[in-house]
Amino acid sequence: MVNITEKLTLIMLETYYNESSSYHDPHTIPYPGSSKKWRDIVDVSLKGYIPELWLDHEPPEEYQHYILGITYLVILFPALFGNLAIIWLFYRCRNLRTPSNILVVNLALSDFLQNLKMPVFIYNSFKCGPAMGELGCQIYGFFGGLSGTSAIMTIAMMAIERLNSISRPLNPHSRLSMRRALIISILIWIYSFIFSTPPVFHLFNRYVPEGYLTSCSFDYLSDELASRLFILTFFTAAWVVPLILITVSYVGIICAVRRNENAFKRTQNALNNDKGSSLYRASKRGKYSRNGPKMEMRLVKVVLSLIALWLVSWTPYAVVALLGLFDKRYITPTSSMIPALFAKLSSVINPYLYGLANPRFKRELKRKLCVICYRKKTAAERQVTLGTIPTSTKTIVDPESHFVRISDGNLSEIDFSDYELKELAP
């Protein structure tokens, strides 16, 4: 009688599991004495596009999902602020619409697209599984591949243009024009579409869940020859080539600065023979001769920091992809989630490093924020704060420089982009 009761209990538990188990409850135990796997609890309709390696692993604990979800939530807000601030300032301020800033805005757009897919991961994390299904996975993977490749190539192009402007400052063909900047940006997006679009239609590769099944990327675990060749090609195009371009460009910048330093020293030695000349006196007053080695060392530190930041952001993904091709034993769900986290951190750092750290962007951001705060004040508060201009004072308005000069010699800055220009006269 006891044996019959135990058998019936096991049959009932197994029947209940087969009918009701799904990814919404990853900690359901199918039957006593067995270890839970993703294969045992994930919905049957989702098994077709999840790699076997992940199905054979045990689901992570709920707190692991929640930690990653909260981490991405914390990353999302400063990333959105930085990238949207650059895009908004570029749109609002004409003096920021320069050729070099085209690439800065292109980088901000790439990082912004990467930020837009983060809510999918956050939702999946708090649901403890692939709650968005196959469609959510395809959207997440496509925007990840598109924005990541675009950001990588934009940084590489920025390094090349910096090298051209520093190594050949007097050559008009080396200057970045608006047309050339737009063409470079368009080519970057075409380059990114070439690699991110085929997996959507399962050409050569596909987008599949990875790690905790809450994020999606290229299928670097596939054993098919076409898929492996695609991953190797993408690895070369999106990691090896940009790394070579960035390294060669920044090393070239250091060499160009050193050549300029040596040329300046030779010129200064020649001027020492004519100490009475005005050129000699001007060179002695210059800070370049005294701070040359110090500036060069500071430049080396900046270059090494930029290269290191790029390597830290994208090398983990490259390493995991290569391990997936050649040795899957070293890949675990947790280790596969680390590269995605580093890539998301780059979308937070990039806008502040390449955009808002620029003095012009920083100045315009402060000015716009001050204008917004200024508009919120009442008319009485404005009169108390700014004072009353005497009717006998003549004010000269210069729209190009954004300055107002008052006859008593004072100089104050006012934003004319949102106000109608009027001349104040007695």
Side-chain angles (χ1 to χ4, degrees):
M1 184 67 180
V2 175
N3 292 334
I4 295 175
T5 305
E6 291 179 353
K7 289 181 179 180
L8 289 174
T9 303
L10 288 175
I11 292 173
M12 292 174 63
L13 286 173
E14 187 173 359
T15 303
Y16 173 78
Y17 164 72
N18 291 331
E19 293 179 354
S20 62
S21 64
S22 67
Y23 57 84
H24 293 290
D25 188 11
H27 301 283
T28 302
I29 300 177
Y31 45 83
S34 65
S35 59
K36 51 189 176 182
K37 306 287 185 180
W38 271 119
R39 179 187 308 281
D40 301 321
I41 62 177
V42 77
D43 191 80
V44 178
S45 62
L46 302 179
K47 289 183 179 180
Y49 77 103
I50 299 177
E52 295 292 327
L53 179 65
W54 310 128
L55 293 175
D56 292 334
H57 278 86
E58 297 181 4
E61 299 293 334
E62 287 186 358
Y63 75 88
Q64 294 175 285
H65 283 292
Y66 295 154
I67 289 175
L68 279 177
I70 294 172
T71 302
Y72 273 61
L73 197 60
V74 172
I75 292 174
L76 180 61
F77 291 104
L80 286 176
F81 174 79
N83 292 307
L84 288 177
I86 291 176
I87 298 171
W88 177 65
L89 288 173
F90 184 82
Y91 172 76
R92 291 287 296 168
C93 305
R94 291 185 178 181
N95 60 333
L96 293 180
R97 298 174 192 172
T98 60
S100 59
N101 287 341
I102 290 287
L103 295 179
V104 175
V105 173
N106 195 67
L107 179 60
L109 286 172
S110 302
D111 290 333
F112 178 66
L113 281 180
Q114 193 168 165
N115 300 147
L116 288 181
K117 71 188 183 70
M118 289 172 63
V120 176
F121 178 87
I122 295 171
Y123 180 79
N124 285 340
S125 295
F126 286 106
K127 288 292 185 178
C128 299
M132 296 293 290
E134 186 173 1
L135 178 60
C137 181
Q138 296 297 313
I139 295 174
Y140 188 96
F142 172 73
F143 279 106
L146 179 66
S147 61
T149 308
S150 177
I152 289 171
M153 296 309 300
T154 301
I155 293 174
M157 292 299 104
M158 290 170 68
I160 293 175
E161 291 302 328
R162 287 176 177 177
L163 174 62
N164 287 334
S165 62
I166 292 176
S167 61
R168 296 181 296 173
L170 300 180
N171 188 349
H173 298 289
S174 66
R175 297 176 184 175
L176 182 64
S177 63
M178 187 68 71
R179 180 181 178 183
R180 190 162 116 193
L182 290 174
I183 291 175
I184 290 174
S185 300
I186 293 173
L187 292 177
I188 288 173
W189 286 105
I190 293 175
Y191 188 86
S192 303
F193 269 103
I194 290 175
F195 290 100
S196 59
T197 303
V200 175
F201 303 100
H202 293 184
L203 296 176
F204 310 113
N205 201 268
R206 58 178 185 163
Y207 293 118
V208 295
E210 61 178 349
Y212 292 173
L213 307 188
T214 50
S215 64
C216 294
S217 183
F218 299 97
D219 188 3
Y220 49 79
L221 299 174
S222 176
D223 294 326
E224 297 180 2
L225 179 61
S227 180
R228 293 167 66 89
L229 290 176
F230 178 87
I231 294 298
L232 284 175
T233 305
F234 182 68
F235 167 77
T236 304
W239 191 83
V240 177
V241 173
L243 178 61
I244 293 174
L245 294 176
I246 291 172
T247 304
V248 171
S249 298
Y250 283 130
V251 170
I253 290 173
I254 295 176
C255 295
V257 171
R258 183 169 296 177
R259 286 196 303 269
N260 293 337
E261 172 70 16
N262 294 333
F264 180 82
K265 288 181 180 179
R266 290 194 297 269
T267 303
Q268 191 176 36
N269 292 334
L271 290 173
N272 286 336
N273 299 326
D274 188 7
K275 296 184 178 180
S277 65
S278 59
L279 290 176
Y280 173 78
R281 291 193 297 271
S283 66
K284 298 302 288 183
R285 289 195 301 268
K287 297 181 180 179
Y288 187 81
S289 60
R290 295 190 295 269
N291 299 332
K294 186 182 296 185
M295 185 186 68
E296 186 176 344
M297 183 58 63
R298 188 163 58 248
L299 177 63
V300 171
K301 291 179 180 179
V302 171
V303 166
L304 292 178
S305 299
L306 292 174
I307 296 175
L309 175 63
W310 191 90
L311 288 174
V312 170
S313 299
W314 301 107
T315 301
Y317 246 132
V319 172
V320 171
L322 291 180
L323 289 176
L325 292 179
F326 300 109
D327 198 344
K328 301 179 179 64
R329 294 176 300 172
Y330 297 100
I331 299 180
T332 63
T334 302
S335 64
S336 66
M337 301 304 295
I338 296 176
L341 182 60
F342 280 107
K344 302 303 178 297
L345 287 174
S346 69
S347 68
V348 182
I349 299 174
N350 287 340
Y352 297 96
L353 180 64
Y354 293 96
L356 298 181
N358 187 305
R360 297 178 68 181
F361 271 100
K362 190 184 301 183
R363 182 174 62 251
E364 291 296 335
L365 179 61
K366 290 180 179 179
R367 193 166 62 88
K368 290 295 183 183
L369 292 177
C370 290
V371 170
I372 293 174
C373 296
Y374 176 77
R375 286 178 177 177
K376 293 181 179 180
K377 295 181 180 180
T378 61
E381 289 175 338
R382 293 179 188 177
Q383 190 171 4
V384 171
T385 304
L386 300 178
T388 305
I389 300 177
T391 55
S392 61
T393 302
K394 186 175 181 180
T395 305
I396 302 173
V397 178
D398 184 6
E400 296 297 328
S401 62
H402 304 288
F403 283 104
V404 173
R405 184 176 295 278
I406 304 175
S407 59
D408 60 359
N410 295 327
L411 191 65
S412 58
E413 186 176 359
I414 296 179
D415 181 25
F416 290 102
S417 59
D418 302 306
Y419 296 95
E420 182 180 359
L421 297 179
K422 295 181 180 180
E423 182 177 351
L424 301 178

